[in-house]
Amino acid sequence: MKFSLDDLVPIFRQFEGPLTSELVRKPGDFGLGQVPVRFKPDATTTTVCGFCSTGCGLKVHLRDGSAVNLSPDTEYPVNLGMACPKGWEALTPLDAPDRGTVPLLSGQPASWHDAMSSFASRLREIQRVHGPESVAVLSTGQIVTEEMCFLGALARIGLGIPNIDSNTRQCMATSHVAYKQSFGFDAPPFTYADFEQSDVLVFIGANPCIAHPILWQRVLRNRRSPEILVVDPRRTETAMAASRHYSIAPKSDLTLLYGLANILISSGWIDREFIAQSVSGFPEFAEFVRAFTTDRVCAATGLDAEALWQFAQLVGDRSKRVSWWWTMGVNQSHESTRTAQAIIALALITGQIGKPGTGANSITGQCNAMGSRLFAHATGLPCNRDYGSPADRAEIASIYGVPAESIPQSGSPAYDQIIDGVKTGRIKALWVIATNSAHSWGTSEDLQRALAGLELLVVQDMYPTTETARLAHIYFPAAGWGEKDGTFINSERRIGLVKKVRRAPGEALSDFNILRLVSEYCGVADQFREWSSPEAVFRIMQRLSKGRPCDITGIAGYAQLDTDGGIQWPYAKDDKPASHHRERRLFGDGHFFHPDGKARILFSSPREPSEPTDAGFPFVLLTGRGSSAQWHTGSRTGKSAILAKMHPSRPYVEIHPEDAHVLGILHGGAVEIVSRRGMATACACVTTIVQPGSVFMPMHDAQVNTLTAPEYDPHSRQPSYKYCAVQVRPV
Ligand SMILES: Nc1nc2c(c(=O)[nH]1)N[C@H]1C(S)=C(S)[C@@H](COP(=O)(O)OP(=O)(O)OC[C@H]3O[C@@H](n4cnc5c(=O)[nH]c(N)nc54)[C@H](O)[C@@H]3O)O[C@H]1N2
Ligand SMILES: Nc1nc2c(c(=O)[nH]1)N[C@H]1C(S)=C(S)[C@@H](COP(=O)(O)OP(=O)(O)OC[C@H]3O[C@@H](n4cnc5c(=O)[nH]c(N)nc54)[C@H](O)[C@@H]3O)O[C@H]1N2
Ligand code: SF4
Ligand SMILES: [Mo]
């Protein structure tokens, strides 16, 4: 190793790095790594919630400089003084008794020096013996953007790891691809004020009452007596609160949307002027959707003709502001990209975009899924640049100060292709950061077996107790939200500042500092000298964004993010101060990011899911969020006794009363759910929330992904978690 331990002392000292409250800054000093707000040790500071992509502002109350409590921020433009149960309980998981406090080597406590030495030598040895293709990284949409950007650059450029993807693939890959192809850039166009300024809100495959409760609160603040339309095969909390619920057959969305387009176009309920100026592909689309007759659409979706036409009338009313919102019911399907693009097409042909209360709007999932879409270096280079483009590579190389040849020429394979590599033995070493794949990835039983067979599994998580961390050869204890500085980007493109208001327990380090250690121990730190702190990386991110649609060169630094209540991109150097426009949307000028300035309509014929139901497996299994108090695999929310009181304690499956009656299943009774891949046991929740013929299980139950099918959208490679064939039987 070409450095001495003395060189590492400054890094190790960061175990004891200052809390934000302890930082001092001179006026005008935008020095690196320091948040320029000094507050009294017993004062209150602000931060942004680290669970969902709503990105609520929180006030953190400090004693002796360290967080003891929190409350929602009344000034923050996102949540206006509201927070959901997870936000209120955000400090609790930090104190959990199973926090990782020291590195583990084969489950045994080790020093950072030993863990890092072992990591570096084993990684390098595997690369030497089996080639670069044998190593992979799986990361997350739940760390700060600065860490994502550093991780991507370090893994791909510094360490020569060709495989790097993240849980964002399971979540937002579809929105990313759909927007990039349609608008020329991955650019969700909306701002949250649109919830309040819309006359007709259409939610497709989205359950904000549970998954984005504060966004739903924004909908409730709408004073325009809006029509709220929900398209969901389940009668969810959101559907119950809506004015109209279209309970379509699972995975019939694409046919429905094309049918709506056909009615709108044939009835002339479209904006011809906007189409002529701003849309390409319309004549072909108009011709294509003619085949989606009312009869065909009703047969596929289960809706009656009246409901379909009424839907079309509502969204085709040019005197109204119509907004379209979608989430995982769209993104997690076998034809998700085209479904998202059909929603985009409907907004485009009706001219409902770029104005208050309109838009084709993808609601993001994790707190920083947007950050990973822009900066992760996975499928593309930062800010929607392409690995395949020599000009893009040269630009990145000059920003990073590295030779152009050091930038790889192709994007990473997708998550499922990486997992295939793990299963077939092609991938020998896997480094997992802030995601719990062994629970959240489909075919999880196979995956757990495959993970156990790896030569090297490294897991970097707040807890060594997750399903994935328990299998690790090397475990790195990570600081969590609240224990480190950086930024998140929320669903409406708002960059918000998160602060270190707690010390991480024991020797746990921020992901940022773990990455710095990796760069030192792997001998590539010289390339990353400039990447010395989160705010230094923020500066690099600003250079990466320069001249791109997501230009953020106008942000003065962390200080301005803090005082302005976050700032939405774009915010280029010559833009007006953000305070002049706290809420901004895109495309007000009808100009999109393709070279011709137009948005593209893209479409394909609907296909059946690859696993139809049959006599052996007669039910469709839907999966999704169960309650506002549960977050994914529960590593964090599962630590709160308060949240535990807010959701059922036993695994359950929703089943319709007619089906339950035929099968002799009683409410609360034990049942088995069997798919072609696995089996789960749960208690029956007999309810009309689900349609006859389909059942629902929350994804928080680790058994769910032993059942789900390995099917992926061909364009985004996002898994289709919301459709597989199962059998249900009483036990
Ligand atoms: N409390 C809580 N909030 C969260 C999360 C959490 O774990 N817990 N996770 C966050 C993340 S990362 C994400 S991605 C979001 C997800 O947020 P949502 O997407 O809103 O949540 P889901 O429950 O996964 O799926 C939404 C709906 O899709 C429906 N659906 C299933 N199949 C179909 C179909 O074929 N067509 C249509 N139209 N609908 C269908 C389901 O019935 C479900 O009601 O939530 C975020 N917020
Ligand atoms: N069947 C089915 N499966 C699904 C879904 C579904 O709807 N149905 N939804 C999918 C979606 S949309 C998503 S987003 C995924 C989510 O799936 P996961 O990402 O696997 O779920 P989490 O429980 O959020 O796992 C995050 C992990 O990161 C750790 N962590 C938190 N903060 C930090 C940090 O700052 N640093 C480090 N190093 N670790 C940290 C937590 O302890 C936790 O173990 O699940 C997907 N899986
Ligand atoms: S809605 Fe999302 S961002 Fe807001 S408090 Fe709840 S989990 Fe946090
Ligand atoms: Mo997600």
Side-chain angles (χ1 to χ4, degrees):
M1 238 166 272
K2 61 190 183 93
F3 51 86
S4 76
L5 266 181
D6 284 351
D7 296 332
L8 292 177
V9 169
I11 299 174
F12 281 100
R13 200 173 275 148
Q14 295 187 37
F15 297 148
E16 298 300 323
L19 294 163
T20 313
S21 58
E22 295 162 347
L23 296 170
V24 189
R25 167 174 274 165
K26 293 183 257 34
D29 167 17
F30 281 103
L32 304 179
Q34 298 195 349
V35 178
V37 205
R38 177 171 164 75
F39 31 84
K40 294 193 200 96
D42 293 334
T44 289
T45 189
T46 53
T47 191
V48 171
C49 178
F51 285 104
C52 88
S53 65
T54 304
C56 295
L58 301 174
K59 284 207 153 127
V60 180
H61 311 292
L62 309 162
R63 190 175 303 139
D64 301 328
S66 178
V68 288
N69 210 338
L70 58 76
S71 54
D73 190 346
T74 48
E75 307 297 317
Y76 204 68
V78 164
N79 50 314
L80 316 169
M82 301 174 279
C84 85
K86 296 182 297 303
W88 280 102
E89 272 295 279
L91 291 170
T92 304
L94 304 179
D95 297 327
D98 63 340
R99 279 299 297 274
T101 55
V102 287
L104 303 175
L105 274 175
S106 307
Q108 296 305 309
S111 67
W112 273 109
H113 177 67
D114 288 348
M116 278 291 159
S117 304
S118 171
F119 173 79
S121 60
R122 290 162 85 175
L123 186 85
R124 289 308 198 195
E125 180 64 9
I126 290 171
Q127 282 180 320
R128 194 183 61 76
V129 175
H130 302 288
E133 292 292 333
S134 61
V135 178
V137 178
L138 288 175
S139 87
T140 188
Q142 295 179 54
I143 55 179
V144 293
T145 323
E146 291 78 355
E147 292 171 343
M148 289 171 179
C149 191
F150 190 8
L151 172 64
L154 174 65
R156 292 234 59 191
I157 301 164
L159 302 174
I161 298 175
N163 308 294
I164 171 170
D165 204 11
S166 75
N167 59 11
T168 308
R169 179 75 57 182
Q170 300 165 277
C171 181
M172 301 316 302
T174 293
S175 299
H176 173 84
V177 174
Y179 278 141
K180 197 171 172 191
Q181 292 180 348
S182 295
F183 295 162
F185 198 84
D186 176 12
F190 61 101
T191 186
Y192 291 159
D194 289 322
F195 285 117
E196 297 169 19
Q197 297 172 354
S198 194
D199 299 310
V200 181
L201 297 98
V202 189
F203 289 92
I204 306 183
N207 189 8
C209 286
I210 293 298
H212 298 92
I214 301 308
L215 295 185
W216 185 251
Q217 294 303 314
R218 295 291 299 264
V219 174
L220 296 181
R221 286 165 50 95
N222 186 315
R223 295 279 172 267
R224 305 172 68 92
S225 307
E227 285 280 356
I228 300 174
L229 283 52
V230 170
V231 180
D232 195 310
R234 293 166 61 229
R235 199 163 149 268
T236 59
E237 296 77 356
T238 310
M240 290 179 207
S243 31
R244 289 159 213 268
H245 174 210
Y246 300 98
S247 181
I248 61 170
K251 304 296 153 284
S252 64
D253 302 69
L254 194 53
T255 301
L256 169 67
L257 297 166
Y258 290 154
L260 288 170
N262 186 23
I263 297 176
L264 293 170
I265 296 168
S266 60
S267 307
W269 299 335
I270 54 174
D271 186 340
R272 291 197 183 279
E273 203 181 320
F274 183 80
I275 293 170
Q277 270 170 20
S278 301
V279 180
S280 64
F282 176 72
E284 298 82 354
F285 183 59
E287 180 58 31
F288 170 78
V289 296
R290 280 170 47 160
F292 292 83
T293 59
T294 298
D295 284 350
R296 175 175 172 185
V297 175
C298 291
T301 58
L303 298 182
D304 60 38
E306 197 187 324
L308 178 66
W309 276 80
Q310 179 197 56
F311 193 155
Q313 258 164 354
L314 284 165
V315 297
D317 184 345
R318 300 268 312 280
S319 70
K320 295 278 166 61
R321 298 167 171 184
V322 180
S323 57
W324 300 80
W325 307 88
W326 83 85
T327 318
M328 289 309 116
V330 170
N331 280 13
Q332 293 171 343
S333 112
H334 65 291
E335 51 191 9
S336 54
T337 302
R338 290 296 182 249
T339 307
Q341 287 169 332
I343 299 172
I344 293 170
L346 287 167
L348 290 173
I349 64 174
T350 50
Q352 296 279 6
I353 195 158
K355 293 174 283 196
T358 66
N361 306 329
S362 153
I363 303 174
T364 315
Q366 307 168 80
C367 51
N368 203 17
M370 271 311 300
S372 71
R373 281 154 73 170
L374 280 179
F375 290 103
H377 298 69
T379 333
L381 283 163
C383 305
N384 283 212
R385 290 181 181 87
D386 292 319
Y387 278 105
S389 151
D392 285 357
R393 291 200 301 271
E395 229 175 356
I396 296 292
S398 87
I399 293 168
Y400 290 172
V402 297
E405 310 77 69
S406 66
I407 312 289
Q409 300 191 7
S410 58
S412 169
Y415 201 136
D416 68 293
Q417 294 158 329
I418 293 175
I419 296 299
D420 273 353
V422 173
K423 287 183 182 167
T424 57
R426 180 172 55 78
I427 287 171
K428 312 279 182 200
L430 179 66
W431 178 15
V432 179
I433 299 162
T435 186
N436 185 8
S437 316
H439 172 147
S440 59
W441 184 254
T443 65
S444 56
E445 220 163 42
D446 283 3
L447 174 58
Q448 291 194 15
R449 258 194 305 277
L451 292 177
L454 280 164
E455 274 185 35
L456 178 64
L457 174 64
V458 183
V459 175
Q460 181 169 323
D461 199 289
M462 294 167 66
Y463 310 96
T465 48
T466 69
E467 286 93 339
T468 315
R470 283 200 297 260
L471 301 168
H473 302 106
I474 303 180
Y475 164 76
F476 293 148
W481 169 90
E483 296 168 343
K484 55 188 180 179
D485 298 320
T487 59
F488 290 152
I489 311 179
N490 79 354
S491 282
E492 51 160 6
R493 311 179 317 282
R494 185 179 301 276
I495 302 162
L497 187 63
V498 289
K499 295 182 196 159
K500 180 174 177 181
V501 289
R502 277 286 187 90
R503 271 184 224 292
E507 293 181 11
L509 284 180
S510 68
D511 294 290
F512 196 87
N513 284 329
I514 297 175
L515 297 176
R516 289 181 78 194
L517 281 180
V518 167
S519 74
E520 295 284 356
Y521 277 84
C522 291
V524 296
D526 284 345
Q527 284 179 51
F528 297 98
R529 288 288 166 226
E530 200 196 337
W531 305 60
S532 56
S533 71
E535 198 169 4
V537 175
F538 186 75
R539 299 280 172 220
I540 297 173
M541 284 160 41
Q542 289 185 295
R543 298 205 312 260
L544 289 166
S545 76
K546 187 161 185 259
R548 311 289 298 173
C550 59
D551 194 323
I552 50 169
T553 51
I555 299 173
Y558 280 2
Q560 194 191 359
L561 290 176
D562 200 28
T563 49
D564 283 9
I567 294 175
Q568 286 170 297
W569 66 255
Y571 186 53
K573 223 175 185 88
D574 40 10
D575 282 358
K576 287 203 201 79
S579 52
H580 290 197
H581 35 170
R582 284 187 104 190
E583 296 260 359
R584 281 176 295 154
R585 66 183 61 76
L586 302 178
F587 310 132
D589 57 1
H591 198 89
F592 293 85
F593 298 122
H594 283 300
D596 64 0
K598 293 184 174 184
R600 285 187 194 151
I601 297 185
L602 293 149
F603 53 89
S604 304
S605 292
R607 291 179 290 116
E608 290 297 315
S610 66
E611 187 175 82
T613 52
D614 59 18
F617 299 94
F619 290 95
V620 173
L621 172 68
L622 308 175
T623 68
R625 274 75 202 152
S627 79
S628 67
Q630 287 165 290
W631 181 256
H632 298 155
T633 73
S635 343
R636 285 194 280 166
T637 46
K639 308 293 154 59
S640 159
I642 292 176
L643 296 178
K645 291 195 180 120
M646 302 175 71
H647 59 82
S649 55
R650 285 189 295 159
Y652 65 90
V653 57
E654 293 175 358
I655 182 165
H656 193 272
E658 286 170 18
D659 294 327
H661 179 75
V662 171
L663 295 169
I665 291 170
L666 298 176
H667 188 67
V671 295
E672 285 175 352
I673 306 97
V674 187
S675 81
R676 291 185 173 88
R677 292 153 295 278
M679 193 189 79
T681 51
C683 73
C685 173
V686 178
T687 171
T688 53
I689 287 174
V690 282
Q691 300 173 358
S694 64
V695 294
F696 170 85
M697 293 175 75
M699 64 149 310
H700 317 295
D701 175 356
Q703 302 175 96
V704 164
N705 282 322
T706 64
L707 304 171
T708 48
E711 179 164 31
Y712 310 92
D713 173 75
H715 305 282
S716 68
R717 297 214 70 78
Q718 181 156 346
S720 171
Y721 285 133
K722 290 174 167 35
Y723 195 103
C724 77
V726 293
Q727 184 195 120
V728 183
R729 56 189 186 220
V731 284

